[in-house]
Amino acid sequence: MNVRKRLGVGVLLAGAVATLAGCGGDDNGGGNPTYDGGGNTDGATTDGATTDGGVDGALVDSGSDGDAAQGPILAGPSHGSSVALSPDESIGVVVNRDAGSVTVLKLSYPTGMPATATSAGEIAVGGEPWQVVISPDSTTAYVVLRKDQKVVKITGLKGTPAAGASVAVGSEPTGIAMTPTGATVWVANWVDGTVTGVDTATMTVKSTVDLNAALVATGFLGTVTARPGLAHPRSIAVTNNGDTNDADESIYVTEYFGQATAAEAADGANADTRKSGIVYRIKASDKSVTTIQLAPLADIGFKDANNAAAGCYPNQVQSITINGKFAYVTSVCASPKGPIGPNVTATACTVATIATDCAALVDPVCVPPAAGLASVCVDVAGVKTTTAPVVSVIDTTTNTELTTATANLNAKFRDFYVTKGTADNNLRRYPLLANDMSFVPGANVGYVTANGADAVFRVRYDNTSGLIAEVGSSTQLFIDLNPTGIAAPSAGLNPTGLAVGTKGFMLVASEATHVATLVDLNTQAVAGGAATPSVIATTPAPTAGSEADKVRLGKRFFNTGMGRWSLKAQGWGACQSCHVDGLTDNVTFYFARGPRQPTSLDGTFASNDPSDQRVLNWTAIFDEIDDFELNTRGVSGGVGAIVSATTVPPATADRIDIATACATPPCTNGNGNGGLNGSAQKAGDPVNALTLTAPGKLADWSNITKFIQGIRSPRGPSNLDAAKVAAGRTLFTTDGACQGCHGGPKWTISKVFYDPTPANSATLKTKSWTTAVTGSGFPAALLPATTAANQVMRFGGANPAAFDQILCILRPVGTFNVAEPGAGISERRADMTTLGQGAATDGNGFNPPSLLGLATGAPYLHAGQVRTLEALFASTFATHHHALAPNFLTDSDPAVLKTKIDNLIAFLLSVDETSTQVAIPTFGAAGGNFCTIQ
């Protein structure tokens, strides 16, 4: 169907009229002419905000926004993205996040031919340009720099583009949007918990709105006073009612992390639904803030391995887009309740008889788990019920969520594929990491980029009910940015954003290949086809084989759910599903060892020494990044990259079976090298250091390791009190002696202290630490084992499959099965019945986490049982903060105690890679590390 005919001439003219005349002739995509189109509800008689504590978040307000502004205005609401189209659609601007630049594109639309793009220049702007917006006159762009914490103006878009003035904003700014007249850009400061309004004419800050107070007012954090780093605003959108008065608009801002609305049940039964998402609504007129709650889904449309409906709650909220009267919010909806991942049985099967062989399973497949092993029944239900790409829908006329419209896109596309008769193989693809959404102007057809699936997904909404009316299209299941036959440099890998125009094309930015792709909405495919694609490189690719290229590839493998990285190469999961940007989702999943929050990976390696690596996971069960091959196989359902062959498509029979111990080490077939058993890295390395009979073929995990070694820790909040930070540092280093567990370049004493060869790994089981500790003064209460014979570096007891860990690094500090009142905890393993690991007589405590990025790490501890740092320093966790200083924070005067805690928190929030390190003490009375293989 011809897009131009379908939209109609009137729609095509609307944008041009609005641009030329400076007035609204467009209902912003809602198709509802009785609605003013901008989502402006300031005059609504009902404010449906879930929580309205009367919070006026304005810290600074130099005046109303855009009163009596003249000139053109935007044709619709604004939200930032990694790519932007100018209102006249002659210019595109793409951010190159890894390169510190933006690229300006000149766009043309030859009659009867695909749209084309040519580069007008790449412009250096600074550290991590994240999102961009373009002014109503199509000549100026504004780019937010996440690392450098600035907004930069780009001038001369239609002539000679150049970087212009800049202005400092808050810490880790990730979202930007523009008021209709272009007089103000609003920026979401992810770490500070604030939103900054920048005057685009003077490039000065005119307003700062504090969202920390608004989040506190919800009551979801317990009893706590507003301070920096509680809220985490991520994405932002501004309404547009079509007039020239910016002050009558609303600003919608997403809270990145889900917030607990109920305590975790003792049996973990409510884990999937006890949190909700939050969207902040700010009135441009007075900067007052209210909150809108995004409810969890009780049923995501898939059954778990227990044949029960799985739920999820909005988390890692990626984007917000306003179209008509609705705001659409994409998230990585978390479904943490077990069972998680594939359930591999011992039941033999054949593909032909799977229906009877595997009848007891919910979602069975019949696979050979590794080379030489018979095919068995595997239940993959748990792969499909861990995370989900959910779009929540807000009615901006009432400022409430339309819960009936909120939907899991995976379920919608699953149903679509079934109806179409699409084979259940890699022909199906799911919108993994749905990170941006944009609508065809004047229509209710939206498009969603999926970073983990190398694709764009079409979704049509009903503009009355807000419900999804259709997914996919009559011509394509989805828009493949890496179609068969396209040259590798032109493939759109890991898209980060898109911009849809009125001329039947959209522009998509992809970070792994540094390209901008023009997509033809008429064909629902890359413009020009795979043979002559309308794709342009936005920054030079690293030299093949260089260290920079290995990092790029590692990031690609970390982020993708394609190929060997997810079940059937369909995009069900990826490393980034729990670690967007390599950080953490703050979700407590019920894994095989118990309830665990994925640790932020920025603290895995010392910033200045890639050989200094933390022992991995909360219970110290891995010693190499390559060990997470078992997560790829066991959570995402992928083939993995530790393989002895590279069959196309990837086959489970190619796996080197690192999970199964071999009978007579050393293991010539690779068995016995997963977890702490030898070296997964050496088993999978094509160099074949273990002289395996069938060695590994891929260096993928080596590249992923290089990527993780370079992950930047979030900067501390910019709005901290420097005097409090200094006082808190003194408390940390002297009164608390906290460096005994949290010192050193990684801000943790945890460190891999051996080369994980099979021989060394075996030696750890008998290497005692008793003699080293005796007489040192090391506190007996912090010893992780009581039985002298079991005081060894590595211990798994009678059941290593369930208990094997690096024992010497554990510290029992009173956090097992202890929770802040109102937060709750359930110490259960993935079966939701068996007691989790962490409190055994010989295996007591947890692996000290890094303190880097604490401002983005709440809730805290292994099971997320503490919502704030204030609660962590309450008497409930006295064992923790008294571990090396029995009199720490025992002041009888409440005012003195509060001052100390406030100062300590300010220091902890400030810790980032620029902070002066605190040395780890020699082990003894002040703590330290007694792990050694010597």
Side-chain angles (χ1 to χ4, degrees):
M1 179 182 295
N2 187 289
V3 172
R4 294 171 179 81
K5 291 181 179 178
R6 176 168 56 83
L7 294 180
V9 175
V11 170
L12 293 177
L13 292 176
V17 171
T19 301
L20 294 173
C23 61
D26 180 14
D27 70 356
N28 295 315
N32 182 355
T34 64
Y35 182 70
D36 67 8
N40 174 35
T41 58
D42 290 347
T45 57
T46 301
D47 184 347
T50 302
T51 303
D52 184 355
V55 179
D56 184 345
L59 300 180
V60 179
D61 184 8
S62 61
S64 60
D65 297 322
D67 290 339
Q70 302 298 318
I73 65 169
L74 297 174
S78 170
H79 83 282
S81 178
S82 60
V83 57
L85 276 176
S86 62
D88 65 6
E89 298 178 35
S90 68
I91 300 292
V93 180
V94 180
V95 302
N96 303 307
R97 292 176 176 176
D98 295 339
S101 65
V102 300
T103 299
V104 178
L105 304 176
K106 303 284 189 179
L107 303 176
S108 61
Y109 308 89
T111 302
M113 298 175 63
T116 61
T118 57
S119 176
E122 182 180 358
I123 304 160
V125 291
E128 296 178 12
W130 210 253
Q131 288 192 347
V132 59
V133 291
I134 300 178
S135 64
D137 61 10
S138 299
T139 64
T140 309
Y142 300 87
V143 182
V144 63
L145 308 185
R146 180 167 173 176
K147 182 180 179 182
D148 286 357
Q149 305 179 136
K150 294 179 180 179
V151 171
V152 176
K153 178 185 288 190
I154 307 296
T155 60
L157 294 183
K158 293 192 173 184
T160 304
S166 66
V167 59
V169 289
S171 182
E172 301 287 333
T174 54
I176 188 170
M178 177 174 279
T179 58
T181 67
T184 307
V185 290
W186 286 95
V187 177
N189 303 309
W190 187 55
V191 168
D192 284 0
T194 63
V195 173
T196 300
V198 173
D199 186 311
T200 58
T202 62
M203 290 300 287
T204 57
V205 172
K206 62 192 299 185
S207 301
T208 300
V209 182
D210 181 14
L211 299 180
N212 296 292
L215 183 58
V216 167
T218 65
F220 296 153
L221 300 180
T223 303
V224 63
T225 302
R227 58 154 171 84
L230 289 171
H232 296 94
R234 183 76 170 199
S235 302
I236 189 166
V238 178
T239 62
N240 185 344
N241 64 3
D243 64 28
T244 59
N245 179 14
D246 286 346
D248 61 3
E249 304 298 344
S250 292
I251 302 126
Y252 289 88
V253 189
T254 63
E255 170 63 36
Y256 190 61
F257 299 113
Q259 301 297 313
T261 57
E264 188 94 1
D267 61 357
N270 65 344
D272 287 351
T273 57
R274 74 181 192 90
K275 292 188 178 184
S276 294
I278 296 290
V279 171
Y280 306 97
R281 178 204 174 213
I282 305 169
K283 286 186 178 182
S285 58
D286 62 7
K287 313 306 181 295
S288 60
V289 185
T290 53
T291 53
I292 303 165
Q293 191 170 324
L294 303 181
L297 285 178
D299 186 350
I300 63 173
F302 292 91
K303 303 287 189 182
D304 65 19
N306 291 328
N307 203 28
C312 73
Y313 61 83
N315 194 61
Q316 293 187 121
V317 178
Q318 297 296 302
S319 69
I320 181 167
T321 306
I322 299 170
N323 189 56
K325 68 176 183 178
F326 299 120
Y328 301 85
V329 183
T330 67
S331 68
V332 183
C333 205
S335 182
K337 189 171 68 172
I340 288 175
N343 174 27
V344 182
T345 75
T347 305
C349 63
T350 67
V351 174
T353 59
I354 185 174
T356 54
D357 295 338
C358 310
L361 304 183
V362 175
D363 194 352
V365 293
C366 182
V367 297
L373 299 182
S375 295
V376 295
C377 295
V378 177
D379 193 343
V380 297
V383 174
K384 302 175 182 179
T385 55
T386 304
T387 60
V390 164
V391 180
S392 303
V393 181
I394 296 171
D395 184 338
T396 62
T397 64
T398 62
N399 284 304
T400 56
E401 181 192 11
L402 291 174
T403 55
T404 56
T406 294
N408 174 14
L409 295 184
N410 280 352
K412 294 295 184 181
F413 275 90
R414 183 268 320 274
D415 295 345
F416 173 63
Y417 295 143
V418 170
T419 300
K420 297 282 287 186
T422 308
D424 191 11
N425 53 28
N426 62 359
L427 294 178
R428 297 187 183 188
R429 199 174 298 183
Y430 294 92
L432 176 63
L433 244 296
N435 55 2
D436 194 17
M437 189 172 193
S438 187
F439 283 80
V440 176
N444 54 358
V445 175
Y447 289 90
V448 178
T449 48
N451 186 272
D454 304 335
V456 177
F457 294 81
R458 179 179 180 273
V459 183
R460 181 170 64 84
Y461 281 88
D462 180 275
N463 57 1
T464 300
S465 67
L467 275 65
I468 291 177
E470 176 186 67
V471 299
S473 72
S474 59
T475 58
Q476 300 287 348
L477 301 174
F478 51 84
I479 299 170
D480 191 351
L481 299 176
N482 183 23
T484 301
I486 197 170
S490 295
L493 305 185
N494 298 131
T496 55
L498 76 168
V500 184
T502 63
K503 302 179 186 299
F505 293 91
M506 74 169 79
L507 192 62
V508 184
S510 297
E511 65 179 343
T513 39
H514 301 298
V515 298
T517 303
L518 273 159
V519 171
D520 188 339
L521 299 186
N522 211 29
T523 63
Q524 296 285 297
V526 175
T532 57
S534 189
V535 174
I536 188 167
T538 58
T539 189
T543 303
S546 66
E547 288 301 297
D549 193 47
K550 291 175 182 177
V551 171
R552 179 189 69 86
L553 288 171
K555 184 177 183 180
R556 158 68 180 169
F557 300 146
F558 185 92
N559 285 347
T560 191
M562 296 290 93
R564 61 185 59 257
W565 298 102
S566 183
L567 178 67
K568 301 179 183 179
Q570 293 176 341
W572 290 102
C575 299
Q576 71 161 332
S577 296
C578 298
H579 299 279
V580 171
D581 303 329
L583 304 177
T584 176
D585 60 2
N586 293 331
V587 174
T588 299
F589 288 93
Y590 286 86
F591 289 123
R593 298 297 183 104
R596 302 288 184 265
Q597 286 210 136
T599 54
S600 188
L601 300 182
D602 58 318
T604 303
F605 293 92
S607 299
N608 59 353
D609 182 4
S611 68
D612 182 356
Q613 180 200 301
R614 179 177 177 266
V615 182
L616 302 170
N617 283 355
W618 282 98
T619 33
I621 61 174
F622 287 167
D623 51 14
E624 298 172 302
I625 298 297
D626 303 59
D627 288 321
F628 288 94
E629 167 84 358
L630 298 175
N631 290 55
T632 297
R633 300 176 183 182
V635 176
S636 297
V639 169
I642 299 182
V643 292
S644 58
T646 53
T647 305
V648 179
T652 55
D654 296 341
R655 290 173 175 170
I656 295 173
D657 184 25
I658 61 172
T660 305
C662 62
T664 55
C667 312
T668 58
N669 62 354
N671 289 358
N673 282 284
L676 301 176
N677 290 316
S679 174
Q681 188 277 324
K682 293 177 176 63
D685 192 342
V687 172
N688 198 19
L690 299 181
T691 63
L692 305 180
T693 54
K697 296 292 185 182
L698 300 173
D700 293 9
W701 281 110
S702 173
N703 292 331
I704 290 174
T705 298
K706 291 180 183 295
F707 162 65
I708 293 174
Q709 287 170 337
I711 291 173
R712 181 180 64 80
S713 290
R715 295 186 174 224
S718 67
N719 49 348
L720 293 172
D721 184 320
K724 288 185 176 181
V725 171
R729 182 182 180 90
T730 299
L731 289 166
F732 180 92
T733 56
T734 57
D735 297 35
C738 305
Q739 64 270 28
C741 289
H742 296 289
K746 304 187 304 300
W747 295 84
T748 172
I749 62 171
S750 180
K751 183 176 182 178
V752 175
F753 55 95
Y754 57 94
D755 178 10
T757 64
N760 284 343
S761 297
T763 297
L764 295 174
K765 294 180 179 180
T766 57
K767 174 65 177 177
S768 173
W769 43 261
T770 306
T771 301
V773 171
T774 300
S776 69
F778 190 90
L782 287 184
L783 296 178
T786 300
T787 307
N790 295 335
Q791 293 179 337
V792 289
M793 302 297 165
R794 174 187 173 192
F795 182 71
N799 186 8
F803 290 96
D804 194 17
Q805 59 190 147
I806 298 299
L807 185 65
C808 57
I809 199 57
L810 305 184
R811 295 294 180 267
V813 291
T815 58
F816 184 89
N817 207 32
V818 178
E820 170 198 358
I825 190 171
S826 176
E827 294 283 6
R828 300 179 183 233
R829 298 189 185 229
D831 61 6
M832 304 304 294
T833 300
T834 306
L835 186 68
Q837 186 175 12
T841 299
D842 298 324
N844 189 7
F846 295 93
N847 181 19
S850 170
L851 299 185
L852 289 167
L854 272 187
T856 59
Y860 300 103
L861 303 181
H862 69 281
Q865 66 265 40
V866 185
R867 292 172 289 186
T868 63
L869 290 171
E870 284 83 350
L872 184 60
F873 293 113
S875 58
T876 302
F877 295 97
T879 301
H880 174 245
H881 53 263
H882 290 167
L884 293 167
N887 295 323
F888 187 44
L889 302 181
T890 58
D891 304 84
S892 58
D893 185 333
V896 171
L897 180 61
K898 183 180 186 304
T899 296
K900 286 186 175 181
I901 291 175
D902 288 348
N903 291 343
L904 183 61
I905 289 172
F907 169 69
L908 292 172
L909 293 174
S910 77
V911 172
D912 59 25
E913 290 171 330
T914 69
S915 302
T916 302
Q917 297 169 11
V918 181
I920 300 171
T922 302
F923 84 87
N929 189 346
F930 52 80
C931 292
T932 180
I933 197 172
Q934 302 302 321

